Amino acid sequence: FSLKTQMIRNENKALCKDPKQRIDIEKVKEFYGRIKYSLTSDQEKALSEILKDMNSTSLMYRLLQGDVGTGKTLVAALALYANTLRNDQGALMAPTDTLARQHFLTLIDLFKDTDLKIALLVGSTPKKERTQILKGLINHEIDIIVGTHALFSEDVNYSSLGLAIIDEQHRFGVNQRDALKNKGRAVDVMYMSATPIHY
């Protein structure tokens, strides 16, 4: 798995992103300095590496792995926040409605004192609400979208998808993961997993 990941990372280094506004790292630090959670040294290290990748001219392809309760979601949330600082949209995809709703509520609470617009899109989203969300995505009225497989449905389009985060990535097929990142141009990708992967 490590060899395969390194090969993909090397391939991505040859793929340059469109010119993007650099993320102001100090603004990210200022934000997480105000929240009620303190980052562990491992979280700070992971976030630092992620932000470095996102500010690189090459595509990010990263796996964030850790046991349940180690704070992967907080690191992912801060990466999504950083992504908005370069005026891009972020997507966080989970394999089940329950997990997607859990992530959505976490982000709503974390970003309650900001102007960020966050939406939830799952298979059971009512048609009228879904239509409004699809419009909000294409018009860039939504900064962060959380959801399930619905995020890469054919009728879902983004104004400027810059970061795709896929939780429990082992529960999605390769084509499904690609379907999400292909919704944008030169999208940074991060996978999250609490499951050790063996080949």
Side-chain angles (χ1 to χ4, degrees), residues 77 90 120 135 137 141 146 151 166 175 178 187 197:
L120 174 69
K135 183 179 178 182
L137 285 172
E141 295 164 355
V146 183
L151 296 186
I166 302 172
N175 291 341
D178 285 347
V187 177
I197 300 166

Side-chain angles (χ1 to χ4, degrees), residues 18-71:
D18 294 334
K20 289 181 181 283
Q21 180 179 332
R22 283 187 64 81
I23 296 166
D24 187 335
I25 306 298
E26 291 306 312
K27 284 187 178 180
V28 180
K29 290 181 179 179
E30 181 185 325
F31 174 75
Y32 72 70
R34 297 196 310 263
I35 62 177
K36 58 185 177 182
Y37 307 102
S38 296
L39 270 65
T40 65
S41 58
D42 284 340
Q43 285 175 310
E44 288 187 343
K45 180 181 178 183
L47 181 61
S48 175
E49 291 178 1
I50 289 164
L51 296 179
K52 182 178 178 182
D53 277 358
M54 291 174 70
N55 268 340
S56 167
T57 56
S58 302
L59 293 177
M60 177 172 75
Y61 183 84
R62 183 171 287 276
L63 171 66
L64 181 64
Q65 188 171 343
D67 292 335
V68 174
T70 53

Side-chain angles (χ1 to χ4, degrees), residues 48-189:
S48 175
E49 291 178 1
I50 289 164
L51 296 179
K52 182 178 178 182
D53 277 358
M54 291 174 70
N55 268 340
S56 167
T57 56
S58 302
L59 293 177
M60 177 172 75
Y61 183 84
R62 183 171 287 276
L63 171 66
L64 181 64
Q65 188 171 343
D67 292 335
V68 174
T70 53
K72 296 185 300 296
T73 303
L74 179 56
V75 173
L78 293 172
L80 288 165
Y81 175 77
N83 183 61
T84 66
L85 295 179
R86 61 182 183 186
N87 297 315
D88 273 345
Q89 294 167 300
L92 172 54
M93 185 168 72
T96 66
D97 279 33
T98 301
L99 186 54
R101 292 178 191 279
Q102 182 181 323
H103 284 324
F104 175 69
L105 293 176
T106 298
L107 295 185
I108 288 291
D109 180 58
L110 188 64
F111 297 127
K112 62 187 176 185
D113 295 325
T114 72
D115 294 328
L116 295 183
K117 301 294 186 292
I118 307 165
L120 174 69
L121 183 63
V122 294
S124 59
T125 301
K127 186 176 180 180
K128 184 177 180 180
E129 184 180 344
R130 178 185 173 87
T131 300
Q132 291 175 334
I133 290 172
L134 297 188
K135 183 179 178 182
L137 285 172
I138 199 67
N139 292 335
H140 208 145
E141 295 164 355
I142 293 172
D143 301 298
I144 300 170
I145 184 77
V146 183
T148 55
H149 302 71
L151 296 186
F152 60 77
S153 297
E154 191 173 342
D155 62 340
V156 178
N157 295 294
Y158 300 79
S159 169
S160 177
L161 182 62
L163 175 64
I165 299 177
I166 302 172
D167 195 10
E168 296 195 16
Q169 57 88 29
H170 60 283
R171 296 179 62 178
F172 294 98
V174 174
N175 291 341
Q176 291 176 319
R177 299 195 298 255
D178 285 347
L180 178 59
K181 73 176 185 179
N182 290 339
K183 289 287 184 178
R185 293 184 59 191
V187 177
D188 285 322
V189 177

Side-chain angles (χ1 to χ4, degrees), residues 4-15:
K4 181 181 176 183
T5 300
Q6 187 58 50
M7 288 171 65
I8 294 173
R9 285 173 65 87
N10 289 340
E11 290 172 3
N12 282 352
K13 285 181 179 179
L15 300 173

